Amino acid sequence: MYARIAAIALGGAFGALGRYGVGLACLRAFGDRFPYGTLAVNAIGCLVIGMLMHAGLVAAARLPTAAHAGLTVGLLGALTTFSTFGYETVRLLEQNQPLMALANVAANLLLGCAAVWVGLSLGRMVA
């Protein structure tokens, strides 16, 4: 029990730092007209959770429960940013940019679901 809590806390710390780093990198590379950082961490998180959930469900003997919780709940929970996605979408609407808001929703949903599919496929290839 304590190992799982420690793994989640450690994963959360790394996930938060990763989110911050990806956000800064995207801001420097692409500017602030579109929330690329949120899109990037959500897509990365979807890809990784697809792989980890396959590993956790099919190859559980290779990934201890505490490590699985640390990676999914901790790392990916802190890395991905659904609440930020919602806020940024509403802000785009408030700024009278409905097409950008729609693009943000579509890009996050399509890229996120595609990344989960790719992650599951990669996980199955490795297992």
Side-chain angles (χ1 to χ4, degrees):
M1 173 73 162
Y2 293 116
R4 189 178 303 169
I5 292 170
I8 290 169
L10 185 61
F14 281 105
L17 291 171
R19 176 181 173 208
Y20 181 71
V22 170
L24 283 179
C26 287
L27 186 61
R28 287 185 187 128
F30 306 114
D32 64 355
R33 288 194 28 87
F34 186 82
Y36 291 105
T38 302
L39 177 61
V41 294
N42 285 341
I44 291 165
C46 287
L47 174 72
V48 173
I49 203 163
M51 294 171 62
L52 290 175
M53 292 310 287
H54 177 77
L57 296 173
V58 177
R62 290 191 227 164
L63 193 60
T65 304
H68 189 268
L71 291 170
T72 56
V73 177
L75 179 78
L76 296 178
L79 177 71
T80 60
T81 56
F82 193 76
S83 60
T84 303
F85 156 75
Y87 171 77
E88 289 170 342
T89 302
V90 170
R91 289 291 296 145
L92 288 168
L93 290 170
E94 289 178 344
Q95 294 166 358
N96 201 26
Q97 297 184 55
L99 292 179
M100 289 296 273
L102 181 60
N104 191 38
V105 170
N108 275 278
L109 290 177
L110 294 173
L111 188 57
C113 289
V116 168
W117 180 78
V118 170
L120 282 170
S121 299
L122 290 172
R124 290 179 181 129
M125 290 171 54
V126 175

